[in-house]
Amino acid sequence: IIVGHSDIVHGVLTCLFVGGHALLEGVPGLGKTLLVRTLSQVLDLNFNRIQFTPDLMPSDIMGTNIINEDAAGQRVFSFQPGPLFAQIVLADEINRATPKTQSALLEAMQEHSVTIGGTIHKLVEPFFVMATQNPIEQEGTYPLPEAQLDRFFFKLTVNYSTREELSVIIDRTTRGDWPTPTKIMDGEAIRKWQRLAKRTFIAPHVQDYAIRLILATHPQGPFASRVTDRYLRFGASPRGAQAIVLASKVRALLDGRFNVSFEDVRQAYLPALRHRVLLNFEAQAENVSPDTVLTEILGDVKEKAGE
């Protein structure tokens, strides 16, 4: 279904097999929504799409208590679940909703539950939030707070298709040759693979490499590089280290290996950290992107400590 974007597909599947959430950023028409919808079609999981708008309220996505009549004619409160009660939730254009509505996702993404009227409602496992946002139309949008960004396992940047990929896309969409997805995996199988991914071996020196990459993002720290002190205001949290290690384990498994390599760590570095570092004013003034800073840090940190 998806033509090209192999790194994006790989990133979304990585989130799936570690139980994490994904944030996809790109201009309209690149297939972000199609990718998430296709994922829901090949997995035997409940799927809901939420179109985020400025007038969307927290109760619109979480649900609310409504008054009903029971068999005896008595009026009682009953919970009416919202679209958040699914196993795959597509939060389309998430940055168009107000911070109040965005914060309603925090508990669901972190605890896999929602609290309404003092009652905790558990979500069905496995539970994934796949969010999209448009980076160019910033009027009428609300940037995601750092606390919510940190809950996303990966931030994936969707770029334009190549000449060959565009040719295939046009052939499929204008000639009626669109393939049909079929369901190939259910929730229990996904949870089994998630448990396997966590048991994948990572050598101490490879794990230390991932840790030093995280410490290198901390300004004024003992491992900070020149570019860190110049352009970063805050570095990555321990959640970033967890994301790198887990993603590296999945990459090793998909490559047919049962141990994590240095290259696995390097491949997971950008999508795991580009939304977990905060640029300072100098970086913003010079139009320096997080990817630019992180790529330079990646080149500065050696595989073996002390090199």
Side-chain angles (χ1 to χ4, degrees):
I1 303 295
I2 305 299
V3 179
H5 298 307
S6 59
D7 54 336
I8 305 300
V9 175
H10 189 285
V12 170
L13 292 178
T14 299
C15 293
L16 179 74
F17 289 120
V18 300
H21 312 292
L23 176 62
L24 285 76
E25 183 177 88
V27 299
L30 297 183
K32 302 184 298 295
T33 302
L34 177 63
L35 172 58
V36 180
R37 189 188 305 121
T38 303
L39 182 66
S40 71
Q41 292 171 334
V42 299
L43 301 175
D44 192 14
L45 302 175
N46 297 326
F47 169 74
N48 277 332
R49 173 181 175 177
I50 306 173
Q51 186 67 46
F52 278 66
T53 56
D55 60 346
L56 193 71
M57 298 298 292
S59 59
D60 294 332
I61 64 174
M62 296 192 302
T64 186
N65 291 316
I66 61 175
I67 300 177
N68 283 326
E69 286 191 4
D70 58 14
Q74 300 292 325
R75 291 185 176 181
V76 295
F77 281 102
S78 61
F79 176 65
Q80 181 69 34
L84 196 58
F85 283 80
Q87 292 173 287
I88 297 182
V89 176
L90 169 56
D92 218 354
E93 294 191 285
I94 188 174
N95 57 332
R96 294 201 175 277
T98 61
K100 183 177 182 179
T101 302
Q102 291 176 5
S103 64
L105 281 175
L106 274 177
E107 181 185 2
M109 294 173 66
Q110 182 65 28
E111 308 296 338
H112 291 196
S113 66
V114 296
T115 303
I116 299 176
T119 303
I120 298 176
H121 302 272
K122 286 291 184 181
L123 301 173
V124 179
E125 299 288 350
F127 173 73
F128 307 99
V129 173
M130 303 290 176
T132 68
Q133 67 177 12
N134 178 1
I136 58 174
E137 295 179 5
Q138 295 303 317
E139 292 185 6
T141 62
Y142 303 86
L144 298 181
E146 283 71 23
Q148 186 170 0
L149 281 172
D150 202 30
R151 263 66 177 187
F152 284 103
F153 188 85
F154 269 2
K155 180 181 179 181
L156 303 168
T157 303
V158 185
N159 296 312
Y160 292 106
S161 302
T162 64
R163 180 181 181 181
E164 293 75 16
E165 292 166 355
L166 278 174
S167 179
V168 176
I169 291 172
I170 292 173
D171 288 342
R172 289 186 182 181
T173 55
T174 62
R175 298 180 183 178
D177 297 332
W178 197 264
T180 302
T182 56
K183 296 190 182 300
I184 60 172
M185 189 176 294
D186 59 12
E188 184 54 41
I190 294 172
R191 298 180 73 177
K192 179 184 70 173
W193 296 122
Q194 288 175 351
R195 292 191 293 268
L196 176 65
K198 291 181 179 180
R199 294 200 302 267
T200 305
F201 178 74
I202 179 170
H205 64 286
V206 178
Q207 179 169 300
D208 182 66
Y209 176 58
I211 292 172
R212 286 185 286 112
L213 283 173
I214 294 293
L215 296 177
T217 66
H218 297 168
Q220 310 304 324
F223 293 89
S225 65
R226 179 190 60 83
V227 69
T228 301
D229 291 335
R230 181 177 179 184
Y231 290 129
L232 292 186
R233 183 154 54 118
F234 294 106
S237 67
R239 195 178 280 122
Q242 295 169 353
I244 290 177
V245 171
L246 283 173
S248 300
K249 290 183 175 184
V250 172
R251 183 178 178 85
L253 285 178
L254 293 180
D255 197 34
R257 291 177 284 105
F258 296 99
N259 62 292
V260 175
S261 68
F262 289 115
E263 182 60 26
D264 296 328
V265 173
R266 284 191 290 268
Q267 291 297 322
Y269 189 63
L270 279 181
L273 295 192
R274 60 165 55 107
H275 57 299
R276 290 188 165 99
V277 296
L278 196 60
L279 300 176
N280 60 20
F281 177 77
E282 183 177 354
Q284 297 172 8
E286 297 182 14
N287 200 26
V288 176
S289 68
D291 281 24
T292 301
V293 177
L294 290 172
T295 301
E296 190 164 336
I297 293 174
L298 191 61
D300 291 341
V301 178
K302 306 301 180 182
E303 293 179 354
K304 295 181 180 180
E307 286 187 350

